[in-house]
Each structure stands twice: as structure tokens, then as C-alpha cells.
Amino acid sequence: MGERALVRAGGGGSMGDAAIDRSTVKRRRLEAAEELSMLLGDTTACAIAKDGRSYPAGKFHEGRIAALGDLLRRTDAASTPEGIADAATELRSEWEHRVVPGGGESRDWESYRAGGVQALGEFAVTGD
């Protein structure tokens, strides 16, 4: 059996060597929310949706927020870095295979799913 490697949160950025823990997941989720807020400016996601406009960039960050929320719910304060990575790996697989309710794919849905998969990949196990 090969070695398991944990992806370090940050993917090589300033947090690239940070240990994986729930506070890191929470920080990443907050960063995604801040990025979404900056993209939206003085409007809301609901207003964009009501107008029938597509907003894939916003949906990408919404997906990140949702997926990291799933990861927080799947782990607890006693979770080890390995436990968090295992949960992220399982969730990433679930997100990769998730289909839009009603079966219709769209750019917004694809962006939402891609954001979730990318966010979970930051915490997932790479290799067996």
C-alpha cells in the first residue's frame, strides 16, 4: 500500500504548510464568503436569481461555502487532521457525482459544483 499524503490547506500558498484543523476549514469558508460578497457588490444573489441572470462566478463561491459547511458538519472538535482529510475526500467524491435536482445542468450548477469540489480538494487525501 502506498503512502497517504494530506493536501495542505492553501494549495501551496501562504497557508501551504498549515496543519489541517477545523479552524482552517472555518477560515477557508469565511474567505469564500468574503470573496462572494466582493463579487456581488451592492446586490444580492437572490436579486440576480430573480432577474433570471446567470452568475457562475458567484455560484462558484457559493459552492465553496456550502461544501466547507458540509465538511464542518461531518467533523467535530476532536477530529484529527487525518479524519478531516478523510471526510473531505469522501465529500469531494459526493460533490463530484452530485446532480442538479430535476436533472437540468446549467453553467451556474456546474460552477457551484466545481467550487465545492475545489474547496474540498484543499483538504482531501491525495493517494492511497
Side-chain angles (χ1 to χ4, degrees):
M1 182 182 295
E3 281 189 38
R4 290 169 26 114
L6 303 183
V7 173
R8 294 293 178 207
S14 62
M15 290 179 58
D17 294 326
I20 296 174
D21 60 15
R22 283 178 49 87
S23 65
T24 305
V25 177
K26 289 176 185 178
R27 264 195 315 276
R28 284 289 192 231
R29 190 168 188 239
L30 178 59
E31 289 170 7
E34 289 171 346
E35 289 175 28
L36 176 60
S37 179
M38 287 189 305
L39 278 173
L40 291 174
D42 63 352
T43 192
T44 65
C46 290
I48 291 170
K50 281 184 181 180
D51 288 345
R53 293 180 281 162
S54 176
Y55 199 53
K59 287 297 186 182
F60 181 84
H61 294 295
E62 281 185 355
R64 290 175 60 207
I65 295 164
L68 294 174
D70 287 350
L71 182 55
L72 288 170
R73 285 185 290 281
R74 188 141 320 169
T75 59
D76 61 27
S79 294
T80 64
E82 292 79 12
I84 293 169
D86 287 343
T89 302
E90 290 172 14
L91 279 167
R92 182 179 60 185
S93 179
E94 291 173 21
W95 272 74
E96 287 172 340
H97 298 96
R98 193 172 279 185
V99 295
V100 67
E105 297 290 314
S106 70
R107 284 182 5 174
D108 284 347
W109 173 254
E110 287 299 322
S111 294
Y112 181 85
R113 180 172 39 207
V117 169
Q118 182 271 336
L120 293 165
E122 292 184 29
F123 296 95
V125 174
T126 61
D128 294 280

